[in-house]
Amino acid sequence: MKDMQAQLEKLRTDAAALIRDLATDPKKRELFTRLADHLTVLASEVERAIADRVKQTR
């Protein structure tokens, strides 16, 4: 379970890093913003999967 939570945190951190570190011009910024948004959605799905798994083990 901790591994899944670590992956979730990494996914969220990567999304932020894409925007902060790689967006140097407007077109790239737009692309990296879309990628970060997608990573955020994926992180939410992982978070839901973790919550479902916790519920199943109770």
Side-chain angles (χ1 to χ4, degrees):
M1 190 65 61
K2 287 184 181 182
D3 185 49
M4 288 177 71
Q5 290 173 330
Q7 289 293 357
L8 173 64
E9 185 59 33
K10 181 179 180 342
L11 199 55
R12 291 183 193 271
T13 301
D14 288 350
L18 282 171
I19 298 302
R20 184 184 62 240
D21 298 337
L22 301 176
T24 56
D25 69 47
K27 292 213 181 262
K28 285 183 182 179
R29 189 173 298 121
E30 181 182 335
L31 171 65
F32 294 136
T33 298
R34 287 196 317 265
L35 288 172
D37 290 344
H38 185 65
L39 287 173
T40 299
V41 169
L42 292 175
S44 295
E45 290 178 16
V46 170
E47 194 169 39
R48 267 192 300 275
I50 291 170
D52 289 346
R53 192 167 186 184
V54 168
K55 287 178 185 177
Q56 290 175 355
T57 59
R58 288 183 183 177

